[in-house]
């Protein structure tokens, strides 16, 4: 569709408005992905005393007097303990109310909270619905679903109800993120995709800082939940203005609708003279290979059926999983740094700015493969380095964590663009859905790994860093796509892979 974008005005007025409107919800996508840092924050807590207690009627387990001896060598793991039979009292200096303090999700229930945070990211249904109903329709529905269910979760009477609402909201978040990327990219010329893709990702970056401000201002999980979800009613209202992907319409035998969309874009871009020149015959002549390929039904199995596609898919699975795994492993455990969680959220958001500018530079001059592998290796090196920094050196530990987060953020920016360029047009959406499912798996696994801290404090860092190293190795086997036309069919991918990984003489 690159040629058709050019004849309707290239990156004109329509594209500016289209990209801006689709990118605006990104300000609140960070709030959805990182919301549990604040909604499920764990305040300082201690056992509550009975309402009418006195020293004479308190009951305790057997006192462990032997521990008072200066040369005591008792095994503290075998000491007798007693549950907080009167519940817990939670400190309100950092949070007024969280799901943890409201439903007492501490001690033996801590793992319940971590398990839910993991499961919240796993619903990828909208990706596959968009193949049947289109990017625009599912994107519009996802805005409404997120607005309604997100606000409803703030009214949850029980933790179970809250989990259900948040799980369904997570499905909508997937629908917004991935259909927005597809709909945005398919209406911009090929030469603009690197700059536009990188710059629009800054909406997510600034959204992390917006989240910190909102959470600090409200400090109540129900209020915060409403504030970050209600604006999606506005996004739903104006999303009807979007035009469906003309490419998707043609491939689904709706050429007349595709023509209407193209004519509308031409008018908005001030290219009315092109309306008569864009006909069904022109559409079909420029999409001949795609239309012929579309007559076949492609499934996820086609991503692994041929050697070239199998190589790309396996490598991307590793890269997406590891990038998401390391990113959320760092970003969803802000309380461990001994600094205000609100300040850490701002810092973690701010480091994405130079990280994405760095990614833009390396993508443009060093290529996709070097950028992807380099970001993963550097993030792993920094994560490993933090293992050897003493816990009392909090400033250095925080600085290294920010650098690690910056490189994983640059890796995310790279892999979104890289994946869209590696997969052919006829199966691009399926491919994006397939590999991003692994990203969701990575974000699911990241909080669960934090439980290993109770076994050995260095284990989470070893797992996160080791995963990044492994993925960096896989990235080295991906074909380079810098300045290479997008492949249209699986045959194009196989031909280029067989010709030594997209060599320059094929451009």
């Amino acid at each position: 569709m690159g040629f058709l974008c050019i004849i309707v005005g290239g990156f004109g007025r329509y594209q500016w408005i289209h990209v801006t409107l689709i990118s605006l919800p990104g300000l609140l996508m960070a709030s959805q992905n990182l919301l549990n840092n604040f909604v499920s924050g764990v305040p300082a807590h201690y056992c509550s005393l009975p309402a009418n207690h006195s020293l004479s009627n308190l009951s305790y387990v057997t006192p462990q007097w032997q521990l008072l001896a200066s040369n005591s060598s008792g095994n503290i793991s075998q000491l007798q303990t007693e549950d907080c039979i009167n519940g817990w009292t939670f400190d309100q200096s950092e949070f007024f109310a969280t799901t943890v303090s409201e439903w007492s999700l501490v001690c033996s229930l801590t793992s319940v909270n971590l398990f839910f945070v993991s499961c919240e990211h796993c619903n990828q249904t909208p990706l596959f619905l968009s193949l049947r109903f289109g990017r625009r329709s599912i994107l519009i529905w996802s805005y409404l679903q997120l607005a309604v269910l997100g606000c409803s979760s703030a009214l949850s009477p029980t933790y179970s109800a809250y989990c259900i609402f948040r799980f369904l909201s997570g499905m909508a978040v997937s629908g917004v993120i991935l259909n927005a990327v597809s709909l945005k990219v398919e209406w911009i010329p090929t030469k603009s995709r690197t700059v536009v893709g990188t710059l629009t990702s800054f909406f997510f970056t600034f959204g992390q800082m917006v989240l910190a401000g909102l959470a600090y201002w409200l400090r109540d999980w129900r209020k915060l939940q409403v504030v970050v979800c209600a604006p999606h009613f506005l996004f739903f209202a104006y999303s009807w203005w979007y035009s469906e992907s003309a490419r998707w319409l043609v491939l689904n035998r709706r050429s007349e609708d595709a023509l209407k969309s193209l004519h509308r874009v031409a008018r908005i871009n001030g290219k009315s003279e092109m309306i008569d020149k864009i006909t069904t015959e022109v559409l079909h002549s420029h999409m001949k290979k795609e239309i012929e390929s579309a007559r076949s039904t492609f499934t996820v199995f086609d991503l692994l059926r041929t050697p070239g596609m199998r190589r790309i898919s396996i490598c991307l699975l590793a890269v997406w999983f590891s990038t998401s795994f390391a990113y959320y492993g760092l970003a969803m455990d802000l309380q461990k740094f001994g600094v205000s969680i609100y300040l850490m959220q701002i810092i973690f958001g701010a480091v994405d700015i130079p990280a994405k500018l760095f990614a833009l530079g390396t993508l443009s001059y060093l290529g996709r493969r070097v950028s992807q592998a380099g970001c993963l290796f550097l993030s792993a090196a920094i994560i490993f380095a933090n293992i050897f920094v003493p816990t009392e050196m909090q400033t250095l530990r925080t600085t290294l964590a920010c650098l690690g987060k910056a490189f994983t953020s640059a890796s995310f920016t790279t892999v979104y663009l890289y994946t869209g360029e590696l997969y052919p047009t006829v199966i691009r959406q399926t491919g994006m859905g397939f590999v991003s499912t692994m990203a969701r798996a990575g974000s699911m696994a990241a909080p669960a790994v934090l439980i290993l801290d109770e076994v050995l404090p260095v284990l989470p860092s070893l797992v996160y860093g080791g995963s990044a190293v492994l993925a960096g190795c896989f990235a080295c086997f991906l074909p380079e796509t810098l300045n290479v036309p997008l492949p249209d069919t699986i045959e194009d991918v196989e031909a280029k892979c067989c010709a030594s990984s997209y060599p320059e003489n094929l451009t």
Side-chain angles (χ1 to χ4, degrees):
M1 293 304 292
F3 173 78
L4 294 175
C5 286
I6 293 173
I7 65 176
V8 297
F11 200 91
R13 186 185 301 119
Y14 174 83
Q15 280 74 17
W16 278 106
I17 299 172
H18 178 76
V19 168
T20 301
L21 292 181
I22 285 185
S23 301
L24 274 175
L27 288 170
L28 294 176
M29 284 300 102
S31 296
Q32 297 299 327
N33 286 342
L34 302 174
L35 192 61
N36 282 297
N37 276 335
F38 305 97
V39 166
S40 299
V42 183
H45 52 279
Y46 53 87
C47 292
S48 299
L49 295 175
N52 58 346
H53 75 279
S54 67
L55 292 177
S56 60
N57 62 13
L58 290 178
S59 66
Y60 298 95
V61 295
T62 305
Q64 307 295 307
W65 302 112
Q66 73 277 9
L67 294 180
L68 295 177
S70 59
N71 60 349
S72 171
S73 60
N75 186 349
I76 62 173
S77 65
Q78 297 178 358
L79 297 181
Q80 289 181 279
T81 59
E82 184 177 56
D83 291 335
C84 292
I85 57 177
N86 296 297
W88 291 266
T89 296
F90 292 89
D91 179 73
Q92 293 187 320
S93 60
E94 193 167 38
F95 308 105
F96 294 159
T98 69
T99 58
V100 171
S101 63
E102 181 160 334
W103 289 301
S104 299
L105 303 176
V106 293
C107 296
S108 61
L109 295 179
T110 300
S111 58
V112 174
N113 189 41
L114 285 173
F115 176 75
F116 162 67
V117 173
S118 298
C119 292
E120 184 182 354
H121 292 267
C122 70
N123 205 322
Q124 293 291 88
T125 305
L127 288 169
F128 306 102
L129 291 177
S130 65
L131 299 174
R132 173 67 180 85
F133 299 104
R135 287 83 156 115
R136 176 179 176 271
S137 299
I138 300 303
L139 182 58
I140 292 173
W141 173 257
S142 295
Y143 286 141
L144 180 61
Q145 180 176 337
L146 182 53
V148 172
L149 295 176
C151 291
S152 297
S153 64
L155 304 175
S156 303
T158 64
Y159 187 63
S160 299
Y162 172 73
C163 290
I164 292 171
F165 281 126
R166 284 294 295 168
F167 177 79
L168 295 175
S169 296
M171 180 175 72
V173 170
S174 297
V176 171
I177 292 176
L178 289 155
N179 285 290
V181 169
S182 295
L183 193 59
K184 179 170 56 182
V185 169
E186 291 176 3
W187 274 114
I188 60 177
T190 301
K191 66 178 183 180
S192 304
R193 65 182 186 253
T194 300
V195 174
V196 172
T198 303
L199 293 182
T200 55
S201 69
F202 278 102
F203 282 87
F204 186 90
T205 296
F206 293 126
Q208 295 179 63
M209 292 181 272
V210 169
L211 172 62
L214 292 174
Y216 181 79
W217 171 46
L218 296 169
R219 307 217 182 189
D220 182 285
W221 76 269
R222 293 184 186 271
K223 294 177 182 177
L224 181 60
Q225 187 75 50
V226 171
V227 168
V228 300
C229 292
H232 287 85
F233 284 112
L234 173 62
F235 304 145
F236 166 74
Y238 74 60
S239 62
W240 294 89
W241 181 85
Y242 301 153
S243 292
E244 179 58 270
S245 164
R247 186 196 70 81
W248 181 86
L249 290 170
V250 171
L251 295 180
N252 283 271
R253 299 177 177 83
R254 294 171 57 183
S255 297
E256 291 301 319
D257 290 333
L259 277 179
K260 291 177 183 178
S261 292
L262 288 166
H263 291 169
R264 175 173 177 250
V265 172
R267 280 194 298 272
I268 295 174
N269 283 344
K271 297 286 183 179
S272 299
E273 70 277 5
M274 301 302 299
I275 292 177
D276 293 334
K277 298 180 182 179
I278 306 174
T279 63
T280 303
E281 290 72 24
V282 171
L283 273 179
H284 290 177
S285 66
H286 285 283
M287 296 184 62
K288 184 177 180 180
K289 285 197 300 183
E290 292 182 61
I291 293 172
E292 289 176 353
S293 295
R295 291 170 184 167
S296 303
T297 301
F298 293 101
T299 67
V300 172
F301 296 106
D302 290 289
L303 298 172
L304 301 169
R305 182 171 52 84
T306 57
M309 292 293 293
R310 184 161 55 246
R311 167 183 161 191
I312 289 171
S313 296
I314 291 174
C315 291
L316 285 177
L317 285 175
V319 171
W320 276 83
F321 177 88
S322 179
T323 298
S324 180
F325 184 59
Y327 184 93
Y328 286 104
L330 291 170
M332 296 178 71
D333 191 27
L334 301 185
Q335 287 185 286
K336 71 180 179 183
F337 294 106
V339 181
S340 166
I341 189 173
Y342 306 103
L343 178 59
M344 280 304 303
Q345 183 64 68
I346 291 175
I347 294 173
F348 264 34
V351 298
D352 279 11
I353 298 175
K356 290 180 178 179
L357 292 175
F358 169 79
L360 179 59
T362 58
L363 284 168
S364 301
Y365 296 103
L366 298 180
R368 281 49 165 155
R369 179 168 50 198
V370 172
S371 299
Q372 190 70 75
C375 287
L376 286 165
F377 285 138
L378 286 170
S379 65
I382 291 169
I383 292 172
F384 286 144
N386 223 355
I387 294 175
F388 301 99
V389 179
T391 55
E392 59 269 16
M393 299 178 67
Q394 281 294 344
T395 301
L396 180 57
R397 290 179 62 83
T398 302
T399 301
L400 289 176
C402 289
L403 284 174
K405 162 65 159 57
F407 283 117
T408 56
S409 177
S411 179
F412 247 135
T413 300
T414 302
V415 76
Y416 265 106
L417 175 65
Y418 204 4
T419 302
E421 294 176 340
L422 285 168
Y423 281 127
T425 304
V426 295
I427 201 169
R428 184 168 295 128
Q429 188 73 353
T430 303
M432 287 291 291
F434 182 55
V435 296
S436 65
T437 299
M438 289 305 295
R440 287 293 176 182
S443 63
M444 286 170 59
V449 170
L450 297 176
I451 299 175
L452 295 176
D453 183 77
E454 298 179 5
V455 180
L456 188 64
V458 301
L459 279 181
S461 295
L462 287 174
V463 175
Y464 294 138
S467 175
V469 170
L470 185 62
C473 294
F474 275 100
C476 293
F477 292 93
L478 287 169
E480 181 55 67
T481 61
L482 178 63
N483 298 324
V484 174
L486 294 177
D488 291 320
T489 65
I490 292 178
E491 289 72 23
D492 290 344
V493 172
E494 296 305 313
K496 291 177 180 178
C497 280
C498 291
S500 301
S501 301
Y502 290 65
E504 287 76 5
N505 59 11
L506 287 177
T507 63

